[in-house]
Amino acid sequence: MASPFDVLGVDSDADDAEIERAYRRRVKEAHPDHGGSASEFQLVYTAYRQLAAGNADAELEVVPETDEESRKTSPASETNAGPSETDTGPSESDPEHSEPEETGSQVEFLNYETLTDHGWRIDDENLFEKASEADLDPTDYGRFLVKPRENLLEAAENRGFAWPYSCRGGACANCAVAVVDGAVEMPSNHILPSSMTDSGIQLSCISAPVTDEMKVVYNVKNLPGLDELRLPSDPFDNAQLND
């Protein structure tokens, strides 16, 4: 077990500014795309949310990396080491024998809550260009790969992100996203009016990309017309907070 302060690497008497700086540093270090792991990323995120909620005495469980995570994040897995003495197969640098690239859809995402802070609008033509030039938290803007047979919510969670959701079955609007570019397949819809789906609002818990690249704004559950379609329980607002 570890305290939120230990996870963020700050003293227990650190002020809000110190905690914010430490969080921004640690979340970048822990991000799976930067050599960290999904479990470490989530731990850092939870520690910050605990302190933001005033739970300074919380105890967080530090989950050891699985063998799979270790292989994904170990230096050896990220470099092309030369063949061993017993390796008589083709070199990894040989294009004809290199491992195939991971297939799926590349999703560029943006947190809806950041728009107000920067004076952006969801229908801005250059919204994602603006986001890429701003110094946004990795949880608010970035990219991840959605693998085959993953829906958007699953892919986000599997990459260490905590996107909003509730029912996970397409029965509420808590997990709604706005598809700005690209397309998804949503096999059923019993909650969103056609006017919203026609404008790109989709449910991330049951929607899977059908284009190689996508741009989505997540956390749009507070858009006009969606409030009454939400369920009261929202795990995103209480993400893994320990009492």
Side-chain angles (χ1 to χ4, degrees), residues 9-240:
V10 296
D11 294 332
S12 58
D13 59 352
D15 59 24
D16 291 345
E18 290 178 291
I19 292 172
E20 179 71 22
R21 286 194 298 269
Y23 168 67
R24 293 178 69 85
R25 182 188 71 252
R26 286 286 293 118
V27 79
K28 291 178 181 179
E29 294 172 348
H31 195 284
D33 290 344
H34 298 161
S37 67
S39 58
E40 182 185 9
F41 184 90
Q42 187 61 51
L43 179 65
V44 172
Y45 176 77
T46 302
Y48 179 71
R49 291 296 296 268
Q50 288 278 17
L51 293 181
N55 300 326
D57 296 329
E59 292 186 350
L60 306 181
E61 182 178 359
V62 180
V63 180
E65 288 186 349
T66 64
D67 291 341
E68 182 179 357
E69 286 177 326
S70 298
R71 287 194 297 271
K72 286 181 180 178
T73 59
S74 64
S77 67
E78 297 176 358
T79 60
N80 280 336
S84 66
E85 293 180 0
T86 59
D87 184 7
T88 58
S91 168
E92 292 181 6
S93 61
D94 185 347
E96 295 184 1
H97 299 88
S98 59
E99 293 184 1
E101 293 185 2
E102 215 167 8
T103 60
S105 177
Q106 287 288 343
V107 174
E108 187 175 1
F109 66 87
L110 177 64
N111 187 352
Y112 180 71
E113 290 187 347
T114 64
L115 272 62
T116 301
D117 296 338
H118 293 81
W120 300 335
R121 291 176 31 168
I122 199 168
D123 58 354
D124 282 351
E125 182 178 352
N126 299 318
L127 176 61
F128 278 79
E129 287 77 2
K130 294 176 181 178
S132 67
E133 295 172 358
D135 185 23
L136 296 178
D137 191 289
T139 60
D140 291 328
Y141 170 76
R143 296 177 178 84
F144 60 77
L145 179 73
V146 180
K147 297 180 181 179
R149 294 181 295 280
E150 283 184 323
N151 60 49
L152 282 171
L153 179 61
E154 288 174 336
E157 291 176 332
N158 290 340
R159 310 301 174 266
F161 298 103
W163 282 16
Y165 72 90
S166 187
C167 72
R168 303 185 77 96
C172 72
N174 293 48
C175 72
V177 298
V179 179
V180 176
D181 189 30
V184 300
E185 180 180 39
M186 190 167 63
S188 62
N189 175 36
H190 306 291
I191 187 73
L192 296 176
S194 58
S195 59
M196 288 190 174
T197 56
D198 290 345
S199 64
I201 304 300
Q202 307 288 328
L203 303 177
S204 64
C205 69
I206 58 173
S207 295
V210 293
T211 53
D212 292 337
E213 296 182 354
M214 287 185 61
K215 294 179 181 177
V216 302
V217 179
Y218 78 95
N219 199 21
V220 301
K221 61 185 185 296
N222 291 318
L223 278 175
L226 289 181
D227 278 344
E228 62 269 25
L229 303 179
R230 293 170 52 194
L231 288 178
S233 175
D234 189 350
F236 180 74
D237 293 333
N238 302 284
Q240 298 188 12

